[in-house]
Amino acid sequence: RCDDGDAGTWTAEVTGPHVACLAYKYIVRSRDGVVREEGTAEWSRHYYNNLRDVPVIVADLWNDVSDPEDTFRNTKAFREVLFPARRVNFLDNLAGSYEPESRPPVMCVLRVRATCVPRRCYVCVTGALNQLGNWNTEKAVRLTPTRNSWWEGVVGLPEEQQPFEYKYFVLEEATGRVLWWEDRDNRCANRWLHWCSGPHTYGNNLLLFVEEPPLVDCHWRAAGVVVPVFSLRTSDSVGVGDFADLRRAARWLSSAGFSLLQTLPVNDTVHTWGEGARRHDCCPYEVLSVQALHPVYISLRDLTDDPADRTEIARLAASLESSDVLNFAAVMDAKEIFLRQLFARRRSQVTSDPSLRAFVNRCAWWLLPYAVFVACRNTGCPLPRPGSMSELAAVAESALLQDECEWIYFVQFNLHKQLLAASRDAAEHGVVLKGDVSVGVSFDSVETWMYPQLFKLDKEIGSPPDSWTKVGQVWGLPAYDWDACRRDGYAWWMRRLSHMSQYFHAYRIDCVLNFLRTWEVPVGSPTGWFGCFEPVIGFTVAELESRGIWDIHRLTYHNLHEGLCGTTFSPAEWDWLLQHLLEPKGGGFFRFRTDVCPTECALAAVLDSAQLPPMEDLQQFRGRVFECYRDVLFQCFSNSQGERLVPIIGMQSTRSFKTLPEDFKRAVSSVYNEFFTRQTDLWSQTAVQRLSPWINATGMLVCGEDLGMVPACTCQVLRQLRIFCLRVQLFSTTQHPNECGPKTTTCRARRAKKAMR
């Protein structure tokens, strides 16, 4: 327990046996427990002392790690790839600095954290002191890299030392050139120098550890590329790029001066089975399993050296590479046939491989459910109810599924080895491999089968109407039950990220806005128009009436005037609508019948099955009907507080809004704007609650794709959570720190004829 001293300095004295290396950190404790701790859960300091006869004083600083830039630099991407740790045994350095008979009265160990120090460069310190070189960089003290980005150096000081100024800089070892000085005023030794002053009771020598504010003044920048793995085709590819090509791409990027390589999701997406069916399974964001890797990315050439196998691989490659387009189904079929034949020939050798068995045992928590799910799909066996691991193991070892499951283990094991090798090779070449966390999973997936309680299977996610999509989007992915995820401690998400971290040094959160608020749409809806944010704070009827909005019925139902006949619809089309879909409201107005088409999905089903009148363009007629159906301004929903109303996003484009009286229109517009303002605190709190567990879960650098209808609180929340923002040059200006790109996926793709050698 420390004692409170002057100027916010807390002190404590610890006695005990000599310890050569000690790890420790500071916490703030109250009677109720720990209320605050420095750094992250894994963060700690180390001090070294192999001088048994020398007492130690440690002058530390509290480390909040609150500066986002400093936090980013302490992720795997920076510490393990871009600026890998160069640990030196500081005990040897300390012991060898001075012989016992020549030790100065005070041996001062200056400690500073500096992450962005390029390879083959060192942190040095110089200043207005002979021992520091008197501002001569050639005579400066070169610091030693130790743990957690700490650099440490020993400076001998007399017992009575006057205050002096000093500064750190980074030196290129090969040339002796100063790369950069820290961008700040000179540091002054006043803060810690009083510990050296005598007389003191520590004997003839003193070891003083001085912790300095970190070097965070070097704004790091780098360039990288975003590319799907299937596009990384080389002369060794078989139809598509694979994980071996990923390794080659990383080496090429390193030689060209690039530092980052971002992929699209690489998880399995094959949901259907049978000849030709797999052409629909190539969307990388509709994943079957958040752990299993996609079989299409396996490198066949890395599996065998047999001449006959190599000849067959060359034949397959020549056949598949001759196409001008990527034939996903053909590539999958060809690779599967080859893999099954290879497994059949080597089965006894493969199944007895200790490394494969270790992989199966280590990954059983996800591999068993995945294998059973896929094996049942492949063999046509009914999918069992999800059970315990022992129950799933019994199913996998059954006579019907054992052969198929062992083949699946074989494929996933080799995919794991190839991607892990690509990741390690990229790191060795200084290239950060960045993965992609898809925002959702498929309705028909291992995840919804094993963990149905974590999803709302009657809802799907999408995006609200905006300048890109006037009616919103529906993505065909189930919505999460975030309350269930929270009760589970976000364990499903943590397992997902932990598994991902063995391959990637950074990751992108696909559509991070869905973690502030989710746009939920009823399953089967053709558009996202009638979706609703979750969570959301709506309006009561009394609140709307107090703002001069009193005709609630007028705002929440369709209003089709008979004048549409002859303008929007032909007489025959209008007669058909009156007969099948509309009912009168009075005053020449009509609305859609709630017993026939209560939802947009039901309306789509009616139009698909009904006998429609002869017309020139059926699609245009359907479009006009849906436009009329969307002609509402508010919709109702119920929550724990009762019935509430929320404005339709994009209501200003409707005919109903445009025909409102001006004073009524102003009142509705005011409520519409207030709707977003009142969500700010709620969505900020939601983002912190949902995303906070991610930040320190794996050590990976976290980036968020925040495009679309962006809430006003987004940038502030992501910065608070230490998540990189995405800035597209076409849309906005940029602020540090973030990742930037010139444009999005609006560019047209084509199949390149020339493979990368």
Side-chain angles (χ1 to χ4, degrees):
R1 177 173 175 174
C2 300
D3 297 321
D4 187 10
D6 297 332
T9 301
W10 295 72
T11 60
E13 185 170 335
V14 180
T15 59
H18 174 264
V19 178
C21 179
L22 177 66
Y24 65 101
K25 69 189 305 183
Y26 295 102
I27 61 174
V28 176
R29 186 189 297 276
S30 69
R31 293 180 180 178
D32 299 325
V34 176
V35 296
R36 187 180 175 195
E37 62 180 81
E38 59 173 350
T40 63
E42 299 80 15
W43 189 89
S44 64
R45 293 181 183 79
H46 293 75
Y47 93 80
Y48 311 85
N49 179 17
N50 61 352
L51 308 179
R52 294 178 175 273
D53 57 337
V54 178
V56 178
I57 293 179
V58 181
D60 285 331
L61 296 173
W62 175 275
N63 280 269
D64 258 330
V65 195
S66 57
D67 180 5
E69 295 179 22
D70 192 32
T71 304
F72 294 143
R73 291 167 178 163
N74 278 283
T75 59
K76 288 174 60 177
F78 284 87
R79 289 192 291 109
E80 298 182 11
V81 182
L82 298 170
F83 306 102
R86 294 162 285 179
R87 295 181 182 175
V88 176
N89 190 340
F90 192 69
L91 289 173
D92 296 339
N93 194 338
L94 180 61
S97 297
Y98 301 99
E99 296 297 330
E101 61 275 6
S102 62
R103 288 175 187 167
V106 178
M107 289 174 289
C108 178
V109 180
L110 294 176
R111 317 177 66 194
V112 64
R113 276 192 302 129
T115 306
C116 294
V117 180
R119 301 176 187 224
R120 295 176 293 278
C121 293
Y122 286 85
V123 176
C124 301
V125 59
T126 187
L129 193 69
N130 287 334
Q131 295 88 329
L132 295 178
N134 280 323
W135 297 109
N136 185 341
T137 57
E138 295 181 358
K139 298 180 179 180
V141 174
R142 193 170 90 170
L143 274 57
T144 302
T146 56
R147 292 173 178 261
N148 296 333
S149 304
W150 289 103
W151 292 75
E152 309 186 12
V154 185
V155 180
L157 298 176
E159 205 170 300
E160 297 290 341
Q161 173 63 54
Q162 296 299 315
F164 60 91
E165 293 185 341
Y166 59 101
K167 207 165 192 176
Y168 293 95
F169 63 94
V170 173
L171 184 75
E172 189 175 50
E173 184 178 28
T175 63
R177 180 172 61 94
V178 175
L179 288 186
W180 53 269
W181 290 84
E182 55 177 334
D183 187 15
R184 54 166 293 164
D185 293 336
N186 292 343
R187 300 180 187 240
C188 187
N190 287 354
R191 179 179 70 85
W192 49 267
L193 201 57
H194 68 280
W195 293 106
C196 306
S197 59
H200 52 67
T201 60
Y202 298 115
N204 295 327
N205 298 111
L206 173 67
L207 181 59
L208 173 63
F209 281 87
V210 177
E211 183 178 319
E212 297 273 61
L215 271 67
V216 294
D217 305 291
C218 174
H219 291 298
W220 174 83
R221 292 183 181 183
V225 297
V226 183
V227 62
V229 174
F230 57 73
S231 296
L232 294 172
R233 296 164 54 242
T234 70
S235 56
D236 288 338
S237 300
V238 179
V240 298
D242 54 42
F243 289 150
D245 298 325
L246 188 64
R247 188 166 64 246
R248 298 182 184 97
R251 293 181 180 183
W252 180 87
L253 288 171
S254 177
S255 67
F258 289 90
S259 301
L260 299 102
L261 173 56
Q262 176 181 325
T263 72
L264 272 59
V266 293
N267 302 102
D268 191 358
T269 62
V270 178
H271 308 285
T272 55
W273 197 248
E275 185 177 354
R278 282 181 267 191
R279 67 179 181 272
H280 302 295
D281 295 331
C282 54
C283 175
Y285 292 93
E286 195 173 352
V287 300
L288 180 77
S289 165
V290 296
Q291 278 86 29
L293 300 171
H294 204 304
V296 80
Y297 297 132
I298 197 166
S299 170
L300 300 184
R301 297 181 191 272
D302 283 5
L303 297 179
T304 177
D305 292 324
D306 185 270
D309 289 337
R310 287 301 185 107
T311 300
E312 175 61 12
I313 293 171
R315 186 192 67 79
L316 292 175
S319 172
L320 295 169
E321 289 293 323
S322 63
S323 174
D324 287 337
V325 296
L326 168 56
N327 191 332
F328 180 82
V331 174
M332 277 297 301
D333 290 340
K335 286 197 171 185
E336 182 193 337
I337 292 171
F338 182 89
L339 289 168
R340 287 187 181 277
Q341 292 173 348
L342 183 65
F343 176 73
R345 294 197 305 271
R346 299 182 177 180
R347 179 168 181 174
S348 59
Q349 175 186 351
V350 167
T351 54
S352 61
D353 183 356
S355 57
L356 185 144
R357 302 316 307 174
F359 170 77
V360 173
N361 293 333
R362 185 175 67 253
C363 301
W365 60 274
W366 69 264
L367 187 57
L368 269 178
Y370 169 76
V372 170
F373 186 93
V374 174
C376 288
R377 179 202 64 192
N378 293 357
T379 60
C381 294
L383 192 64
R385 294 179 58 186
S388 65
M389 288 297 107
S390 59
E391 292 171 332
L392 288 173
V395 174
E397 294 168 2
S398 65
L400 288 174
L401 298 182
Q402 184 176 11
D403 292 351
E404 192 69 16
C405 286
E406 288 184 350
W407 176 74
I408 293 167
Y409 300 155
F410 165 72
V411 173
Q412 286 298 315
F413 174 58
N414 282 284
L415 284 164
H416 161 75
K417 289 199 302 181
Q418 291 180 6
L419 181 55
L420 193 62
S423 173
R424 290 173 176 172
D425 195 70
E428 289 176 4
H429 287 81
V431 174
V432 171
L433 194 59
K434 181 181 172 189
D436 199 343
V437 178
S438 58
V439 67
V441 301
S442 171
F443 272 97
D444 180 25
S445 66
V446 178
E447 312 308 326
T448 55
W449 170 56
M450 283 295 294
Y451 311 102
Q453 72 277 10
L454 301 181
F455 300 91
K456 298 178 182 177
L457 298 178
D458 61 337
K459 302 281 188 182
E460 52 187 310
I461 58 177
S463 65
D466 54 29
S467 57
W468 288 279
T469 52
K470 300 298 184 184
V471 295
Q473 299 179 31
V474 181
W475 297 340
L477 308 173
Y480 293 103
D481 187 333
W482 285 107
D483 289 336
C485 293
R486 177 180 49 80
R487 290 192 297 270
D488 190 37
Y490 300 98
W492 181 83
W493 287 102
M494 296 302 99
R495 290 193 299 268
R496 180 180 184 180
L497 294 173
S498 177
H499 180 78
M500 186 179 184
S501 68
Q502 64 186 316
Y503 308 120
F504 298 100
H505 316 111
Y507 64 91
R508 163 189 176 269
I509 304 175
D510 177 33
C511 197
V512 73
L513 301 182
N514 272 274
F515 296 88
L516 281 77
R517 80 295 180 273
T518 306
W519 187 251
E520 295 183 350
V521 184
V523 166
S525 298
T527 72
W529 184 266
F530 288 103
C532 187
F533 288 119
E534 191 288 320
V536 70
I537 302 173
F539 295 91
T540 64
V541 172
E543 284 180 308
L544 294 181
E545 289 179 345
S546 69
R547 290 161 172 77
I549 303 174
W550 48 269
D551 191 356
I552 304 301
H553 190 274
R554 159 77 172 80
L555 303 178
T556 54
Y557 285 94
H558 323 91
N559 290 275
L560 283 73
H561 193 266
E562 59 188 2
L564 293 174
C565 178
T567 55
T568 302
F569 299 100
S570 69
E573 293 170 342
W574 183 254
D575 289 341
W576 186 89
L577 291 174
L578 291 177
Q579 183 178 354
H580 295 89
L581 298 180
L582 303 181
E583 61 184 6
K585 289 176 59 179
F589 285 92
F590 298 83
R591 73 175 184 181
F592 285 89
R593 292 168 52 184
T594 56
D595 60 325
V596 176
C597 46
T599 65
E600 195 180 26
C601 182
L603 175 61
V606 170
L607 293 177
D608 288 338
S609 60
Q611 190 73 27
L612 298 175
M615 59 188 69
E616 293 183 2
D617 193 325
L618 179 59
Q619 287 302 114
Q620 285 192 8
F621 171 72
R622 288 172 58 94
R624 294 194 299 272
V625 173
F626 276 112
E627 184 179 350
C628 291
Y629 193 86
R630 293 191 291 266
D631 195 17
V632 294
L633 304 184
F634 285 80
Q635 60 177 328
C636 301
F637 76 98
S638 298
N639 59 17
S640 58
Q641 273 121 33
E643 190 171 280
R644 295 290 187 270
L645 292 100
V646 294
I648 294 289
I649 307 302
M651 65 157 68
Q652 294 90 340
S653 65
T654 63
R655 182 186 299 106
S656 184
F657 178 82
K658 293 175 182 178
T659 57
L660 289 174
E662 286 302 318
D663 57 340
F664 205 81
K665 187 184 296 185
R666 283 193 294 271
V668 170
S669 296
S670 176
V671 166
Y672 184 86
N673 294 330
E674 182 187 341
F675 169 77
F676 291 99
T677 304
R678 65 167 48 190
Q679 314 304 325
T680 299
D681 290 341
L682 173 65
W683 289 349
S684 296
Q685 295 165 7
T686 300
V688 171
Q689 181 186 78
R690 293 176 181 176
L691 290 172
S692 288
W694 295 42
I695 307 305
N696 301 320
T698 64
M700 290 187 289
L701 178 66
V702 189
C703 308
E705 181 262 292
D706 53 340
L707 303 180
M709 181 179 283
V710 182
C713 61
T714 302
C715 201
Q716 178 183 348
V717 168
L718 293 184
R719 186 172 179 84
Q720 174 188 343
L721 292 170
R722 303 184 289 280
I723 296 176
F724 261 78
C725 300
L726 173 63
R727 291 292 171 264
V728 177
Q729 206 169 17
L730 184 64
F731 304 142
S732 63
T733 57
T734 63
Q735 291 183 348
H736 190 85
N738 52 47
E739 56 175 338
C740 309
K743 62 192 303 184
T744 60
T745 51
T746 53
C747 55
R748 187 176 180 180
R750 68 184 182 90
R751 185 169 172 82
K753 277 293 190 180
K754 186 175 182 180
M756 178 177 63
R757 297 290 173 182

